[in-house]
Amino acid sequence: MLYTFPHYYKDFHCIAGACPDTCCAGWQIVIDDRTRASYRRMKGPFGNRLRNSIDWKESSFLQYDGRCAFLNEAGLCDIYGEAGKAYLCRTCRDYPRHIEEFEGCREISLSLSCPEAARLILGCREPVRFLTREREGTEEYEAFDFFLYTKLGDARDGILRILQDRNYPIGVRIGAVLALAHDLQRRIASGRLYEADAVLARYTGAGAMDRLMIRLKRYQADEKTQMEQMQALFGLFGRLEVLKADWPAYVAERKAILYAAGPEAWSRQRRQCRSLAGEQWEIWLEQLMVYFVFTYFCGAVYDGNAYGKMKMAVVSTLLIGELAVGVWRQRTQQPQQTQGGSLGGPGLSDLGEAARRYSREVEHSDQNLAAVEAFTAQEPCCGLEALLMAVMSGTIEKATERNKT
């Protein structure tokens, strides 16, 4: 069995009570069958507490005011404290580790919803390297399309190379991989997967990015059109199951900060935020795209929707970036709340908060993940040209300046 993971994966350590958030509140914690059986057998007063604090029908811990019944006032887990790590359910042992399963392979990542994991993911300044280890054991899947999986893996390798090629602005890189996934999807849908290698070569061959950048010049729009596009993408949030009660208010507040003053003010604060962040802004967006592509793209082996997985990555990155501008703008208006980053420019904490909040609502609900794919498939704001316009806003000018230097 092959295990693949990002190079920073083993640097993760839970910071427990020092964490600014908690993974034990705001969502249902499902108990696996093996751990549930051990809870039934546990004796003594704590065993009684366990059995009285579980919804046995739903196989999950009861919650009080949205907090797990075993989350104490210090923000620590009473099961861990009373019985030890061995008695944690699989969900609690694994989090924030996320595992995608394929025949002969397990791909492990860290979830952005964890503040410490988000710090590692977004705080990584170098291009992410993916490491592979082999262990004994294998598992066969019925009707697993290994040919499709192989082509998706090859395509993802090429996509990651494009995303991490810092000779080009991040907008050009995102536009390239979006177009690549679009063309690959046409081959999947028409049963011409044997053409996948040619599609990949067209986007990764010599001079491909320079030619593409010239073609992308036409995806420019005025400030009003750009703002309306981002507002339309915000419509995704109205489609989601609410996992944390304050999420709708959080989105509404950021939306007002971003758009209430109109297109000119929106564009100005956006340019100011990105300018103050400098090259770090592009690195952040790169790491977000790499995160979503690595985590979800090859999952298309199960539904054939590679383009949908890519659009989810692009829309998620755009929305997290937009939320981060709102977080930064609010922080600079309220200096007494500053945590990380200077008053002049956005810091890792601004982007980390936006990424963490988004991930908590989207990635920990199968219903919400499906809602994102449905939204990107149905809404005009998620068409190829609309998304290219969104990712390319302000990019061509920056690329021209870079080429001149």
Side-chain angles (χ1 to χ4, degrees):
M1 180 77 70
L2 292 177
Y3 290 82
T4 303
F5 47 90
H7 74 269
Y8 52 72
Y9 171 75
K10 292 189 176 181
D11 292 336
F12 174 79
H13 299 283
C14 177
I15 57 176
C19 185
D21 198 359
T22 176
C23 51
C24 306
W27 48 38
Q28 184 184 55
I29 301 174
V30 177
I31 307 168
D32 58 282
D33 292 343
R34 182 176 179 179
T35 306
R36 184 176 58 183
S38 71
Y39 290 165
R40 286 189 184 277
R41 295 192 299 268
M42 184 174 285
K43 302 183 182 300
F46 193 72
N48 292 333
R49 182 185 169 190
L50 267 171
R51 288 182 284 278
N52 290 329
S53 302
I54 291 174
D55 182 334
W56 294 97
K57 182 177 180 181
E58 296 293 329
S59 192
S60 63
F61 293 113
L62 294 177
Q63 294 190 352
Y64 302 105
D65 296 325
R67 293 165 60 89
C68 173
F70 293 95
L71 179 62
N72 62 35
E73 293 181 357
L76 302 175
C77 173
D78 281 341
I79 295 178
Y80 188 97
E82 293 284 342
K85 183 178 180 179
Y87 280 87
L88 295 178
C89 66
R90 183 181 302 160
T91 300
C92 296
R93 287 198 308 271
D94 289 349
Y95 183 81
R97 298 159 189 86
H98 175 86
I99 303 174
E100 290 289 319
E101 299 185 357
F102 307 101
E103 185 171 329
C105 181
R106 297 290 183 270
E107 296 185 345
I108 311 173
S109 56
L110 298 174
S111 175
L112 272 173
S113 61
C114 166
E116 183 63 10
R119 185 189 67 79
L120 285 173
I121 295 165
L122 298 173
C124 181
R125 292 187 62 86
E126 62 183 304
V128 180
R129 304 183 310 279
F130 292 96
L131 310 177
T132 300
R133 299 287 184 269
E134 187 170 4
R135 296 179 183 174
E136 291 186 4
T138 186
E139 189 173 342
E140 294 185 3
Y141 289 65
E142 290 186 14
F144 186 83
D145 192 336
F146 203 81
F147 182 58
L148 174 58
Y149 176 65
T150 300
K151 295 305 177 185
L152 288 170
D154 292 343
R156 186 178 65 178
D157 289 344
I159 287 166
L160 293 174
R161 287 197 302 272
I162 292 171
L163 287 172
Q164 295 181 320
D165 185 352
R166 296 180 182 178
N167 291 311
Y168 298 92
I170 188 61
V172 172
R173 290 179 263 162
I174 296 176
V177 300
L178 181 65
L180 190 163
H182 171 271
D183 291 354
L184 177 64
Q185 186 64 45
R186 293 177 61 187
R187 273 64 179 184
I188 295 173
S190 61
R192 294 181 292 144
L193 194 56
Y194 55 85
E195 297 178 3
D197 292 345
V199 171
L200 184 59
R202 189 165 69 248
Y203 283 90
T204 59
M209 291 293 287
D210 292 323
R211 292 191 295 271
L212 182 62
M213 191 158 60
I214 293 172
R215 293 175 59 191
L216 288 171
K217 285 184 179 180
R218 65 188 178 121
Y219 294 101
Q220 300 295 294
D222 57 40
E223 292 172 343
K224 182 175 183 294
T225 303
Q226 291 177 23
M227 189 185 85
E228 288 174 348
Q229 162 72 1
M230 291 309 304
Q231 285 181 297
L233 290 179
F234 257 68
L236 166 66
F237 296 133
R239 303 279 191 92
L240 303 179
E241 170 195 18
V242 176
L243 300 186
K244 198 167 184 179
D246 66 347
W247 171 248
Y250 179 86
V251 170
E253 187 176 18
R254 301 303 170 286
K255 190 174 182 180
I257 291 171
L258 289 165
Y259 307 122
E264 186 176 342
W266 168 79
S267 182
R268 184 173 57 252
Q269 68 183 8
R270 214 168 175 233
R271 289 195 307 270
Q272 183 184 17
C273 179
R274 295 181 179 190
S275 175
L276 290 169
E279 66 175 9
Q280 184 60 57
W281 185 264
E282 296 212 341
I283 293 174
W284 284 333
L285 297 189
E286 173 191 314
Q287 301 297 18
L288 285 171
M289 282 296 299
V290 168
Y291 167 83
F292 284 112
V293 168
F294 174 72
T295 304
Y296 296 107
F297 187 77
C298 284
V301 70
Y302 296 115
D303 62 10
N305 190 17
Y307 186 40
K309 303 295 186 292
M310 181 58 70
K311 287 203 287 186
M312 182 183 78
V314 173
V315 168
S316 296
T317 298
L318 287 170
L319 285 172
I320 290 172
E322 195 79 344
L323 286 170
V325 175
V327 173
W328 164 77
R329 186 62 180 159
Q330 183 182 44
R331 178 174 62 78
T332 56
Q333 292 173 340
Q334 300 174 336
Q336 69 276 13
Q337 295 182 9
T338 299
Q339 292 182 3
S342 67
L343 283 180
L348 178 58
S349 62
D350 297 323
L351 194 82
E353 180 196 320
R356 174 178 61 82
R357 294 298 301 261
Y358 179 91
S359 177
R360 278 186 71 104
E361 293 299 315
V362 171
E363 294 193 87
H364 295 277
S365 164
D366 290 339
Q367 178 179 323
N368 284 347
L369 286 170
V372 174
E373 289 205 30
F375 181 85
T376 61
Q378 298 164 2
E379 294 301 315
C381 62
C382 295
L384 178 61
E385 293 195 357
L387 287 179
L388 286 175
M389 183 271 290
V391 301
M392 290 304 300
S393 60
T395 294
I396 294 298
E397 292 81 359
K398 185 181 294 184
T400 302
E401 291 174 5
R402 188 175 304 189
N403 287 343
K404 287 180 179 178
T405 59

